Amino acid sequence: ASMVRDSSAAGEREANGCDEILRPLRMEPRTLVTLVSVRVGGTGEILDTVTVASPSSWREPTLMMSQNRVFLGLFNAGSASWRGTNSGYFENTLVTAHTFDKDGVFAFDGLAEIPGELLNQFSLDEHDGHLRLATTMDAYDPSGFHRENMVFIIDLETWEVVGSIHSIAPGERIYSARFMGDKAYMVTFREVDPLFVLDLSVPTDPRILGELKIPGYSDYLHPVNQTHLVGLGRGGTEDGRLTGIKAALFDVADPSNPLERYNLELGGRQSKSFALDDHRAFLMFDRPDHEGPLLAFPVVLSAPGGSYKSCGDPWEFSGAVVYELGAFGFEPVANVTHDRPDSTYLERYLGKASLCGDCPALAIRRILWSDDELWTLSDAKIKATSMITWKDTWQGNLHARRSLMAEGDCDGLKKNGLVSNLTSARGYDLAEAMAMAIGSGYDQEGKCDCLGEELDRSDAPGAWESYRHCETALGSQTYNRLGAFAGNCCSLDWRGNATDCLAGGCPAGISYSECVVWF
């Protein structure tokens, strides 16, 4: 059976029994995926659930929702679908669809099996009674390994493939796709970036209309209007070496001859942007005081050129960049940053978004706008910036600085000086202070048990989350895993040496680091 946590019922309940779980044939179930409909407002009660057996436990399902259906793309990791007698095998994807009514009740609608792998939700689209999909297929036959990209069109009445295009950009893979009405746009990459324009107006006869080859690639395609797209990704050289973050405006008014009208490249080859992996980090909107639309996206930029930065070298810039789509180029409007002069080494340089760690405190992840203010969100804070003066109007911290240390045993953990300071001088519950104090050490399991015992005597909600990490063996890597933010004594630099210490240094046997968490 599958389970869901129902806040309106104060606990877990069964979502679907074993006899209710959809299990597609020709696959080996490895995990379960549950769709849940919830009433918005009121009690937030669960209205309906449906559970599908998935053939992949390590690859997340691809979910796309239209006005009438929820589609799930499930990578079939163990598949070996044969084409012909000895032509070889390839892994495929299972696509399920469920309709839903105004009461939030699901109904199974259909299932398809297609060659290859979906990239993300933009690789699927429902249009005029058809499901369109773009996949990359890795195939193996007696002659060796082959890769090709394909587009399939499925009739949602019969769930049969009625049209397809094979062998798009052999040897490359899809980096981004976008379906827009009767057209589809696809970016593939190996050494250069072909942008393909596809005509899907006749579902039984899809065709490639044109392509544009330029260095680099686009991870995300965003429609501006019916004839223009913005691509955000990586710049590159003609021989396939990648450079900085690249934005480009594509003109597809003539689908047989797509053009890159202009582009912008920021930073060097180690630069990064959350928008390359998550489209929600990209923002485009209109402003009455600008002729063209504004676009904003977060970046962490290394220096331009071919040199590599080490963990201790400063980034050129970390924040959000705002540009206007002008007649002849991306016109700079503003830069917004959460960095500050007194930020610590670990706040600036460590984290998932950098070279050296898991917790970037000040790297902007989301950008929103409301009236005349641009709102930016990082792990450390939320900030409002006036779009009239481009000065900060408000900011608030989203976390507190918390101590994180490794202590040898339960008794030592409770008596540790910094734990005592957190409880006596700062008013934290003992369980919360202990949750902050658990770090790497030889007796991680024992310390988790110690925290669990104290939690039984506490109602500290923040500490429970740290215990959950601890309990699932994720707490063993100190700042990489646990819910705390250090800085009261020492930080660790990328070599593991203590730095930024207060007077008196660090107590013996205790290590410290810094991390931001939603606490």
Side-chain angles (χ1 to χ4, degrees):
S2 59
M3 306 295 291
V4 293
R5 183 175 295 276
D6 188 349
S7 60
S8 66
E12 285 192 347
R13 70 171 179 84
E14 183 176 290
N16 300 100
C18 293
D19 58 343
E20 300 174 305
I21 295 173
L22 174 65
R23 189 238 193 245
L25 299 177
R26 298 213 297 174
M27 70 90 167
E28 186 69 30
R30 288 180 169 86
T31 190
L32 300 176
V33 179
T34 300
L35 300 174
V36 182
S37 63
V38 180
R39 186 182 305 280
V40 178
T43 60
E45 65 184 291
I46 292 177
L47 301 173
D48 195 17
T49 61
V50 62
T51 300
V52 181
S54 172
S56 178
S57 59
W58 56 275
R59 193 166 302 186
E60 292 185 358
T62 302
L63 186 146
M64 192 277 290
M65 187 170 180
S66 68
Q67 290 186 336
N68 306 302
R69 294 176 176 87
V70 180
F71 297 93
L72 276 177
L74 306 171
F75 180 65
N76 198 356
S79 63
S81 303
W82 289 84
R83 292 189 299 177
T85 307
N86 293 306
S87 61
Y89 70 92
F90 53 88
E91 292 175 325
N92 59 23
T93 294
L94 302 171
V95 179
T96 68
H98 287 80
T99 60
F100 52 90
D101 61 23
K102 60 183 178 61
D103 296 319
V105 177
F106 295 110
F108 175 73
D109 189 58
L111 170 70
E113 184 177 11
I114 57 170
E117 177 185 1
L118 298 165
L119 175 65
N120 54 34
Q121 69 191 73
F122 297 108
S123 299
L124 300 90
D125 176 73
E126 180 182 348
H127 181 72
D128 285 348
H130 293 85
L131 174 64
R132 293 98 63 90
L133 310 101
T135 68
T136 296
M137 182 186 71
D138 291 342
Y140 305 84
D141 61 28
S143 65
F145 168 80
H146 305 279
R147 173 174 286 169
E148 65 174 285
N149 305 289
M150 299 167 287
V151 168
F152 298 94
I153 301 178
I154 295 173
D155 188 323
L156 290 175
E157 289 291 330
T158 64
W159 279 88
E160 296 290 333
V161 174
V162 296
S164 62
I165 307 175
H166 290 262
S167 300
I168 304 172
E172 304 184 3
R173 74 173 180 87
I174 296 173
Y175 272 70
S176 58
R178 196 82 190 215
F179 293 91
M180 295 170 55
D182 291 336
K183 300 288 193 302
Y185 305 93
M186 179 191 299
V187 170
T188 63
F189 178 75
R190 185 172 64 183
E191 291 183 352
V192 293
D193 167 6
L195 169 69
F196 291 94
V197 182
L198 310 177
D199 178 13
L200 309 181
S201 58
V202 181
T204 57
D205 185 29
R207 297 176 296 128
I208 298 176
L209 295 180
E211 66 177 279
L212 168 68
K213 290 189 176 183
I214 51 176
Y217 60 83
S218 297
D219 285 290
Y220 176 60
L221 294 172
H222 189 90
V224 179
N225 50 41
Q226 292 299 313
T227 57
H228 292 84
L229 298 136
V230 167
L232 186 66
R234 293 278 185 183
T237 61
E238 293 290 343
D239 59 358
R241 289 182 296 173
L242 299 179
T243 52
I245 303 297
K246 178 183 176 182
L249 179 68
F250 297 114
D251 184 340
V252 292
D254 179 359
S256 65
N257 184 33
L259 303 172
E260 182 185 80
R261 283 299 179 190
Y262 51 74
N263 66 66
L264 166 77
E265 189 163 331
L266 301 172
R269 66 178 70 178
Q270 291 168 282
S271 301
K272 55 185 106 317
S273 171
F274 287 112
L276 302 188
D277 301 312
D278 189 341
H279 69 279
R280 293 170 298 181
F282 181 93
L283 178 67
M284 179 175 287
F285 60 104
D286 294 317
R287 288 276 302 165
D289 51 349
H290 289 269
E291 293 185 7
L294 299 186
L295 63 90
F297 53 92
V299 293
V300 179
L301 301 178
S302 63
S307 60
Y308 278 94
K309 75 177 288 295
S310 68
C311 293
D313 297 334
W315 295 105
E316 291 288 302
F317 175 75
S318 174
V321 292
V322 185
Y323 290 89
E324 179 181 354
L325 284 183
F328 303 103
F330 292 100
E331 299 177 2
V333 175
N335 290 343
V336 178
T337 183
H338 286 195
D339 210 345
R340 59 181 191 274
D342 65 340
S343 57
T344 66
Y345 171 88
L346 289 164
E347 283 181 294
R348 295 190 302 269
Y349 303 128
L350 292 193
K352 251 173 204 177
S354 78
L355 300 173
C356 324
D358 258 358
C359 299
L362 301 171
I364 291 174
R365 294 179 178 270
R366 291 288 187 272
I367 309 169
L368 311 143
W369 70 279
S370 176
D371 297 327
D372 290 327
E373 289 183 314
L374 190 77
W375 293 79
T376 47
L377 180 70
S378 67
D379 286 347
K381 66 176 69 173
I382 184 169
K383 177 189 282 189
T385 303
S386 167
M387 290 190 286
I388 298 174
T389 64
W390 290 104
K391 294 181 178 180
D392 298 339
T393 57
W394 180 87
Q395 63 180 0
N397 292 326
L398 297 177
H399 68 86
R401 293 196 172 198
R402 311 286 175 99
S403 299
L404 182 65
M405 67 209 73
E407 192 63 81
D409 55 40
C410 185
D411 189 57
L413 188 63
K414 291 181 178 180
K415 295 179 179 179
N416 181 274
L418 288 181
V419 172
S420 300
N421 182 53
L422 288 168
T423 56
S424 60
R426 302 194 180 186
Y428 288 112
D429 183 281
L430 177 59
E432 288 182 311
M434 289 170 60
M436 293 180 243
I438 293 177
S440 60
Y442 296 105
D443 188 25
Q444 188 69 30
E445 184 176 351
K447 287 183 290 184
C448 290
D449 292 341
C450 178
L451 173 58
E453 293 172 4
E454 189 59 38
L455 280 168
D456 290 337
R457 297 185 288 272
S458 169
D459 61 354
W464 277 106
E465 182 66 16
S466 287
Y467 181 60
R468 185 182 67 81
H469 284 285
C470 210
E471 194 176 38
T472 54
L474 295 178
S476 60
Q477 293 298 319
T478 320
Y479 63 87
N480 284 352
R481 305 298 187 193
L482 268 181
F485 187 79
N488 292 336
C489 173
C490 294
S491 306
L492 298 182
D493 66 15
W494 66 279
R495 297 181 181 87
N497 300 321
T499 184
D500 295 338
C501 294
L502 297 180
C506 298
I510 303 175
S511 60
Y512 301 85
S513 188
E514 297 195 5
C515 181
V516 173
V517 72
W518 298 89
F519 202 87

